[in-house]
Each structure stands twice: as structure tokens, then as C-alpha cells.
């Protein structure tokens, strides 16, 4: 029997899953958790799936869990301990050990930034460009997967601009070989692993400075979906991969970019994401994003593509700086699903 922790637990039978989920959702809602019912269900699913018999889930996920909840199933052992942790705003992904990102289930925990939906859209912008110039490198999106509809996905006009920007003397070679891709500041490895998985014809390199995050990235880049096609190094994005100077086709980055005087509103980020992965340094948090742009200019071939995530308040300044630089052309903003400019792309000038 699962024993409620610190006064938590359902009113009535403490073993009834349906009642437990309702009570847990109320507790999490009171704690300010944005999606209390779903979080309660995911915690229960996580524990049931770890049981020797799969807890009756049978691979049915949340749908099967909801069926169990109305048929008198029991609360899994440890459920109230996890609910108490989540009520203290420990990230759900730290409690389950998994962050779902595009088509992947990534391992995450203390010491690494939990990848966000906005970054899925940044990956999509890069994949759209790759698909235009390296069509044989990209695998078709599974029907109904939704991967291509993530925040920041390139619109049809974005794709046309990318295609136009790529028309150069290199075009014939680009269509015959796979791209070389670099992920600057890979964190959990989410961007690099997704590109390796969805563009298996690409050769992917990734760099991470934090020892802890590098260890998480190494684990995720060893996933079968990444196919062992990512070269991961520990180092500074400002100096990484000098041996690749002038030979890279795509650079993607989600660098630290929060201004030093801004604390994230969400306790999950403010208290549990590593500060090293959050704060972008001087110039209103632009020190590291601009450093990533400098590195991208060094790495890319003429006509190569750069896309970077940033805060919406930084979009205008980043576009202004890149637009004024002789290193870049075709500077373009990319909005997320809320219409906020959360990424900027540019093409390396000849």
C-alpha cells in the first residue's frame, strides 16, 4: 500500500487510483503547477511502468492509465512521495527522469537544462533548411507525429527564403552530399540527437562546457535513434571545432540568453535548471548568443545556415546586429506558436 506523505493522499480509500489522481491534481493545482492533472497522471504512469508487470499499462500510456483509474486500480507505491516533490516544484522531468522532445525520450536530471517546446521549433527551422538543400539526408515525418508543428517551425515563406538563400555555386554539391551540422551548447543533447535522428544523412558535431550536462548529453547521444552519428566534445562554444572552420553547412544553437537581472518566473527553472545554462552574460544576456553567432560565422561555408533561439525581447537587437554584419545575409525572425519571435536565422555571406 502506498502511504501518503506529509498529509497528502486522497479522501477515502488511499489505494484507489482514480481518487488519488483527483486529490493529487488538487494538491498540485494549489501549489501552482501549470498542468496539475496531467502531471499527476504522468507520475502514476511512470511508477506503474516500472513495475515488473508494467502495472497493467500494457504499453497503453495515459489512455490505459485513465482506464485503470475508473476500474478501481490501486495507487502505485511511492506516488505520494512524487506528488509531494512535484508540489515543491521539482521539475516533472527530474522525477520521471525523462523529457520528451520531438520524436525522442531524453534522459534528464539535476545538472542539465530541461529542453523546452520552443527549442523543438528551432530544430524544425534547421531541418526545413536541410530538407531544401539536402533532401536525401532527411527522413519523412511520420504521419500524425506533429513534429513539424512545433513552436518556431518554418512557415512556407521561411522555406522559400531558405531555398533562395541556398542558391549558389555550391548547390550541386549540396544536393549530392549530407550536411555537416554543429550544435553549439548542446546541454542535454536534444538538438543534436534530434537532427541526427531526423536527418540521418547529416554528420553532427556538438559541444558542451558543463561537466554534468556533457554527461547527460553523452547518454542521450548514445540512443539508438541518434545512431552514434554525433561527435560530442566538452568545451566552450566560443572556441569549439576550429578544425571545422569554413566547412560546416548548418549551425544550430540554444545558448544561455536570460539577462543577468532577470530571474525566471517558473520555480522549476529558477531553482532547478543550472544557472550556467540560463544566463547569457553581459549586454542584456546577449554575450553568449552573440558569441555563438561569431562562432557560427567562423564555422560555416559561404551560403551556410545559422539558427539560434533567444528571448523574445532580444529579437530586434539580434536581427539588428546580424543584419549590420558583413558576415550575414537573409536575416530572418521565426515566431513561436504564440506569435513571439523566439529564434533568428541567417545565411553566411560569401
Amino acid at each position: 500500500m502506498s502511504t501518503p506523505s506529509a498529509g497528502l493522499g486522497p479522501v477515502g480509500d488511499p489505494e484507489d487510483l482514480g481518487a488519488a489522481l483527483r486529490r493529487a491534481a488538487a494538491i498540485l493545482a494549489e501549489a501552482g503547477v501549470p498542468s496539475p492533472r496531467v502531471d499527476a497522471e504522468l507520475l502514476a504512469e511512470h511508477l506503474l511502468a516500472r513495475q515488473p508487470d508494467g502495472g497493467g499499462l500494457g504499453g497503453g500510456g495515459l489512455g490505459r492509465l485513465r482506464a485503470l483509474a475508473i476500474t478501481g486500480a490501486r495507487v502505485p507505491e511511492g506516488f505520494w512521495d512524487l506528488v509531494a516533490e512535484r508540489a515543491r516544484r521539482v521539475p516533472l522531468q527530474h522525477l520521471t527522469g525523462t523529457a520528451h522532445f520531438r520524436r525522442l525520450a531524453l534522459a534528464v536530471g539535476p545538472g542539465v537544462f530541461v529542453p523546452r517546446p520552443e527549442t523543438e521549433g528551432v530544430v524544425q527551422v534547421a531541418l526545413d533548411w536541410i530538407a531544401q538543400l539536402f533532401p536525401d539526408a532527411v527522413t519523412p515525418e511520420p504521419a500524425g507525429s506533429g513534429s513539424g508543428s512545433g513552436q518556431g517551425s518554418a512557415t512556407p515563406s521561411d522555406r522559400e527564403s531558405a531555398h533562395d538563400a541556398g542558391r549558389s555555386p555550391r548547390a550541386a554539391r549540396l544536393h549530392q552530399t549530407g550536411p555537416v551540422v554543429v550544435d553549439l551548447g548542446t546541454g542535454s543533447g536534444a538538438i543534436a540527437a534530434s537532427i541526427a535522428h531526423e536527418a540521418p544523412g547529416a554528420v553532427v558535431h556538438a559541444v558542451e562546457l558543463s561537466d554534468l550536462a556533457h554527461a547527460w548529453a553523452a547518454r542521450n547521444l548514445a540512443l539508438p535513434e541518434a545512431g552514434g552519428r554525433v561527435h560530442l566534445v566538452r568545451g566552450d562554444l566560443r572556441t569549439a571545432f576550429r578544425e571545422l572552420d569554413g566547412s560546416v553547412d548548418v549551425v544550430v544553437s540554444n545558448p544561455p540568453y536570460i539577462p543577468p537581472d532577470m530571474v525566471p518566473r517558473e520555480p522549476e527553472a529558477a531553482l532547478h535548471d543550472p544557472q550556467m545554462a540560463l544566463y547569457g552574460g553581459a549586454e542584456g544576456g546577449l554575450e553568449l548568443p552573440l558569441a555563438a553567432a561569431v562562432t557560427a560565422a567562423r564555422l560555416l561555408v559561404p551560403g551556410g545556415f545559422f539558427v539560434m533561439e533567444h528571448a523574445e525581447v532580444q529579437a530586434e537587437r539580434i536581427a539588428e546586429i546580424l543584419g549590420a554584419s558583413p558576415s550575414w545575409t537573409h536575416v530572418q525572425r521565426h515566431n513561436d506558436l504564440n506569435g513571439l519571435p523566439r529564434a533568428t536565422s541567417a545565411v553566411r555571406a560569401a
Side-chain angles (χ1 to χ4, degrees):
M1 179 186 298
S2 180
T3 303
S5 299
L8 302 182
V11 177
D13 185 357
E15 293 186 341
D16 180 77
L17 178 59
L21 289 173
R22 291 190 293 274
R23 176 63 178 151
I27 291 167
L28 296 180
E30 185 177 356
V33 173
S35 51
R37 174 71 186 200
V38 172
D39 282 23
E41 291 175 336
L42 288 170
L43 292 173
E45 180 196 25
H46 165 66
L47 291 171
L48 288 170
R50 293 173 60 190
Q51 294 181 0
D53 61 352
L57 290 175
L62 287 184
R64 177 59 180 161
L65 176 82
R66 289 162 184 163
L68 292 174
I70 61 176
T71 57
R74 294 186 173 189
V75 181
E77 186 72 30
F79 177 69
W80 294 109
D81 294 328
L82 292 186
V83 171
E85 288 290 291
R86 187 69 186 103
R88 288 193 285 270
R89 305 301 293 270
V90 175
L92 174 70
Q93 297 88 345
H94 284 196
L95 299 175
T96 64
T98 301
H100 294 280
F101 187 87
R102 293 184 65 87
R103 305 179 195 174
L104 301 175
L106 303 172
V108 295
V112 70
F113 182 81
V114 175
R116 307 297 203 264
E118 292 83 359
T119 310
E120 296 187 12
V122 175
V123 172
Q124 189 62 49
V125 171
L127 287 170
D128 285 345
W129 190 89
I130 292 171
Q132 289 288 343
L133 273 75
F134 301 87
D136 294 336
V138 179
T139 56
E141 182 179 333
S145 71
S147 294
S149 59
Q151 297 186 19
S153 297
T155 64
S157 62
D158 292 337
R159 295 186 183 101
E160 290 167 7
S161 296
H163 183 64
D164 291 342
R167 288 174 181 159
S168 71
R170 302 176 60 254
R173 186 186 70 81
L174 291 174
H175 280 287
Q176 294 172 8
T177 61
V180 177
V181 182
V182 167
D183 175 11
L184 297 175
T186 194
S188 66
I191 291 174
S194 290
I195 290 177
H197 177 42
E198 298 182 51
V203 176
V204 185
H205 303 263
V207 61
E208 174 55 46
L209 183 57
S210 162
D211 285 333
L212 286 174
H214 180 274
W216 286 107
R219 179 174 175 180
N220 289 319
L221 296 175
L223 289 170
E225 294 89 340
R229 293 187 302 276
V230 181
H231 171 224
L232 173 67
V233 301
R234 196 181 73 79
D236 193 321
L237 64 80
R238 289 168 284 204
T239 57
F241 300 123
R242 292 201 177 275
E243 70 279 12
L244 297 178
D245 283 1
S247 67
V248 174
D249 298 291
V250 181
V251 174
V252 190
S253 186
N254 178 21
Y257 54 72
I258 296 177
D261 57 346
M262 291 181 63
V263 177
R265 291 187 297 269
E266 302 84 2
E268 289 85 350
L271 301 177
H272 298 282
D273 277 330
Q275 291 196 2
M276 185 178 184
L278 294 177
Y279 296 102
E283 302 183 56
L286 287 177
E287 179 183 349
L288 286 173
L290 294 180
V294 170
T295 298
R298 168 171 60 81
L299 291 172
L300 287 169
V301 297
F305 188 73
F306 173 51
V307 60
M308 176 174 65
E309 183 176 326
H310 49 69
E312 61 268 24
V313 297
Q314 297 166 331
E316 184 174 351
R317 181 61 177 152
I318 288 175
E320 179 183 315
I321 292 172
L322 296 186
S325 170
S327 296
W328 301 108
T329 184
H330 292 83
V331 177
Q332 185 172 0
R333 300 181 192 178
H334 302 272
N335 292 347
D336 64 16
L337 292 181
N338 295 315
L340 299 174
R342 293 301 310 278
T344 295
S345 66
V347 174
R348 184 68 169 94

